[in-house]
Amino acid sequence: MKKFLLTILLINCMLPALAFEDYMIISNSIVKSITVENNEILDAKPVYTIDNEKKIIILTPLKEGKTKIFITTIDSEKIIDVKITDKKTTLKPEEGFEYFEIDIPPEEIEIPEPPLVTGKEGGK
């Protein structure tokens, strides 16, 4: 009985983490600041790359609801409306940004073939 209750408890603790879709937002220009209207619903963090351009934002939904993300770039200030449900995260399209789901791999992955080695150095 203890194992059964422990299993149910573990499954119920994991379900909220598996329910939401994480997103990556890529900006056309450098992001200066990010503010979320309601931090209890959504967490938004910038990603610092090697070249330190700060164009990538990672969105992590925390619970269901509606909120807004205020993004200040070098060029302008944009507002992105976000709606989070238990199965889907919906972002209002905004010019200057591209959205990518992190949880689902891209449909078209092209893996190039290795180069063909010829001549003495290649062992033929």
Side-chain angles (χ1 to χ4, degrees):
M1 184 67 173
K2 286 182 183 180
K3 288 181 183 180
F4 179 71
L5 291 174
L6 183 61
T7 304
I8 290 175
L9 181 65
L10 287 173
I11 289 173
N12 284 335
C13 290
M14 288 177 16
L15 286 178
L18 301 174
F20 302 119
E21 297 174 316
D22 293 341
Y23 266 85
M24 177 173 55
I25 299 176
I26 300 177
S27 173
N28 289 342
S29 60
I30 296 173
V31 176
K32 290 171 64 178
S33 69
I34 306 162
T35 307
V36 178
E37 184 179 59
N38 189 344
N39 289 329
E40 293 178 357
I41 295 175
L42 181 72
D43 186 28
K45 294 181 181 177
V47 175
Y48 300 100
T49 58
I50 293 173
D51 57 1
N52 204 21
E53 283 196 339
K54 301 175 193 162
K55 292 185 175 183
I56 301 171
I57 303 165
I58 301 294
L59 301 181
T60 307
L62 304 174
K63 68 178 189 177
E64 292 184 45
K66 292 181 181 180
T67 189
K68 295 179 182 187
I69 306 169
F70 301 93
I71 302 173
T72 305
T73 63
I74 291 177
D75 304 333
S76 63
E77 186 171 316
K78 303 281 186 168
I79 299 172
I80 299 175
D81 293 324
V82 181
K83 181 182 177 186
I84 301 168
T85 63
D86 61 339
K87 295 182 182 178
K88 184 122 179 101
T89 301
T90 308
L91 303 169
K92 181 186 111 187
E94 191 67 44
E95 189 175 325
F97 298 101
E98 294 182 50
Y99 308 116
F100 299 97
E101 290 181 41
I102 295 176
D103 298 338
I104 299 174
E107 292 178 13
E108 296 179 19
I109 298 176
E110 188 174 319
I111 301 173
E113 293 185 24
L116 181 62
V117 181
T118 58
K120 277 187 164 181
E121 295 166 359
K124 290 186 177 183

